[in-house]
Amino acid sequence: MDIKEELEELKKKVSVEIDKSSSVDLIENIRVHLLGKKGDLTKILKGLKDLDPREKPVVGQMANKIRTQLETMISQKKHILEENKLDAQLASEKIDVTLPGETFQIGTKHVLQQIQDQIEDHFLSQGYQVMYGREIETDEYNFERMNLPKDHPARDMQDTFYLTPNVLLRTQTSAMQARAMDKHDFSTGPLKMISPGKVYRRDNDDATHSHQFHQIEGLVVGKKITLADLKGTLQALTDELFGKGHAMRFRQSYFPFTEPSLEVDISWNTVDKNTASQDIEWIEVLGAGMVHPNVLKMANIDPEEYSGFAFGLGPDRFAMIKYGIDDIRNFYLDDLRFLKQFCQVGE
Ligand code: PHE
């Protein structure tokens, strides 16, 4: 076979191969086998040098023509195969935009936040300011300024998590009392503030105890503030939260930073499931009292001229009573079946 015939043969053979090839990879293979360094066409062209000089240009031209033809066929076929591949991919990944979407759930406020908001709204309407304190407090504000010096036995009841010997996770929002008094300019009028937030105690968690819970502190300091003001303030709050008609009971208690100190219960009508007989139950809701003169003095406030009341309530407790929740851990377990009962739609 002379070179011309070889070239014709190759053209025929490769044309058929190109025609038959069904993937981009196969066509790429054909290209390499034909035009690569060791490719069939390259091999044939190497024989050109042994030809008669008169024949060389003719065969050379022919070889170039065949090469261009085959190259064009290869690239055309490759293009078609690539398009087909893309079409197939698009078809397989097609998105039906008319299908209904997946609805996802919109969160609502946690029941504890709802109670806190209600209490904040109530006090804002009474002219109080809301002060958010810090959860990491100093021993000074958490204890000492609250009339609990380092060796005070009442510290035992509020053991907590210490970061350093003088910095701790606050055990009570009362720490904000001293900060508020330090900040307030009494020439502008009385201090009226509430301070909601998280507090921590070293406690073993059970149905009614949690090592982390919430408090809302209240503090009013001004001239001629009396225990009657405290009573009226608390009655107004419980009337709003639990509805009018719940009597309050003040029991004598002890806190180092109030004198006198009180614990406050509110009445609850209960009905015995078996006998249907009605009864009144008292439920403790908060601690309170008149601000201790030492606490005022430490804030450079003259106890002869100024007096005040303070209270600390647990919104967790309020929510438990208000909604009949019997285990404080429910608030923190993130169980949607529990949380969904307090959904506020449209908020
Ligand atoms: N801080 C007290 C506690 O955590 C509650 C309290 C606040 C009592 C303010 C009196 C006045 O138990």
Side-chain angles (χ1 to χ4, degrees):
M1 232 191 325
D2 71 5
I3 270 194
K4 282 189 198 164
E5 281 168 353
E6 266 187 77
L7 283 168
E8 286 297 345
E9 272 304 296
L10 183 67
K11 184 182 163 186
K12 254 191 242 158
K13 188 183 110 198
V14 175
S15 304
V16 175
E17 280 176 9
I18 294 173
D19 241 18
K20 279 204 225 151
S21 67
S22 57
S23 78
V24 177
D25 287 345
L26 287 175
I27 203 95
E28 189 53 28
N29 238 348
I30 296 173
R31 201 182 61 77
V32 174
H33 275 111
L34 182 71
L35 305 165
K37 261 193 186 155
K38 291 179 183 161
D40 293 340
L41 189 62
T42 320
K43 261 190 241 161
I44 297 174
L45 291 177
K46 272 186 188 150
L48 269 178
K49 63 179 188 317
D50 306 324
L51 283 181
D52 182 310
R54 273 171 300 162
E55 265 212 289
K56 248 191 217 171
V58 185
V59 180
Q61 245 176 18
M62 180 185 166
N64 269 336
K65 199 171 146 200
I66 289 179
R67 179 206 189 106
T68 323
Q69 281 172 343
L70 290 176
E71 271 176 352
T72 314
M73 285 169 73
I74 287 175
S75 68
Q76 276 172 351
K77 182 72 191 242
K78 194 171 169 190
H79 184 70
I80 291 170
L81 288 172
E82 272 170 353
E83 293 242 297
N84 289 350
K85 192 174 164 188
L86 189 64
D87 284 349
Q89 195 181 349
L90 285 175
S92 74
E93 290 173 7
K94 194 167 167 187
I95 297 168
D96 184 350
V97 291
T98 63
L99 283 175
E102 265 179 51
T103 50
F104 49 89
Q105 298 181 359
I106 297 170
T108 65
K109 280 182 186 163
H110 192 279
V111 54
L112 290 178
Q113 187 63 49
Q114 291 176 34
I115 284 276
Q116 182 178 321
D117 287 353
Q118 286 168 29
I119 295 172
E120 280 185 24
D121 285 350
H122 171 79
F123 281 105
L124 282 169
S125 77
Q126 311 278 315
Y128 284 64
Q129 53 175 315
V130 181
M131 297 176 85
Y132 298 102
R134 54 199 78 194
E135 286 170 34
I136 295 176
E137 255 302 356
T138 57
D139 186 276
E140 184 190 355
Y141 279 96
N142 193 79
F143 289 130
E144 280 174 51
R145 292 284 302 269
M146 288 295 101
N147 208 23
L148 278 140
K150 285 240 161 31
D151 54 356
H152 199 290
R155 279 191 179 213
D156 287 351
M157 295 182 331
Q158 298 194 4
D159 194 12
T160 184
F161 306 94
Y162 284 82
L163 289 105
T164 74
N166 286 313
V167 180
L168 45 93
L169 294 185
R170 66 175 174 192
T171 60
Q172 48 184 359
T173 45
S174 300
M176 277 306 283
Q177 286 190 28
R179 290 195 182 275
M181 284 188 269
D182 285 354
K183 228 175 140 187
H184 187 69
D185 176 0
F186 282 90
S187 69
T188 62
L191 164 64
K192 294 165 79 178
M193 74 90 178
I194 59 161
S195 183
K198 292 194 192 96
V199 298
Y200 300 83
R201 293 194 192 168
R202 204 203 61 73
D203 228 334
N204 293 322
D205 294 5
D206 63 22
T208 50
H209 292 86
S210 169
H211 65 281
Q212 178 221 293
F213 54 100
H214 296 81
Q215 283 191 334
I216 297 180
E217 195 77 9
L219 175 69
V220 173
V221 178
K223 291 178 181 166
K224 299 198 174 73
I225 304 290
T226 69
L227 196 66
D229 295 317
L230 171 63
K231 278 183 133 179
T233 303
L234 294 176
Q235 187 71 60
L237 174 69
T238 52
D239 279 357
E240 168 134 357
L241 279 184
F242 301 117
K244 276 206 168 80
H246 294 278
M248 296 184 92
R249 186 168 79 172
F250 286 67
R251 278 183 293 109
Q252 210 240 296
S253 182
Y254 171 77
F255 299 104
F257 37 90
T258 45
E259 182 61 37
S261 298
L262 317 158
E263 260 161 340
V264 180
D265 306 330
I266 66 165
S267 70
W268 213 260
N269 289 324
T270 56
V271 183
D272 191 300
K273 268 189 219 138
N274 301 318
T275 63
S277 66
Q278 292 194 8
D279 205 354
I280 287 185
E281 201 185 320
W282 291 98
I283 304 172
E284 184 194 324
V285 287
L286 54 87
M290 298 306 290
V291 180
H292 196 290
N294 284 353
V295 173
L296 293 174
K297 274 189 230 160
M298 280 187 274
N300 291 321
I301 297 167
D302 181 0
E304 298 297 325
E305 201 184 341
Y306 286 90
S307 57
F309 65 75
F311 58 87
L313 62 87
D316 308 40
R317 200 80 210 280
F318 271 51
M320 288 172 86
I321 296 167
K322 185 163 177 167
Y323 299 116
I325 299 160
D326 56 7
D327 193 325
I328 197 170
R329 288 167 293 195
N330 281 323
F331 293 131
Y332 305 108
L333 289 179
D334 286 346
D335 184 335
L336 285 178
R337 289 167 305 178
F338 171 77
L339 295 172
K340 273 184 176 165
Q341 299 175 75
F342 309 100
C343 266
Q344 292 171 311
V345 181
E347 277 257 319

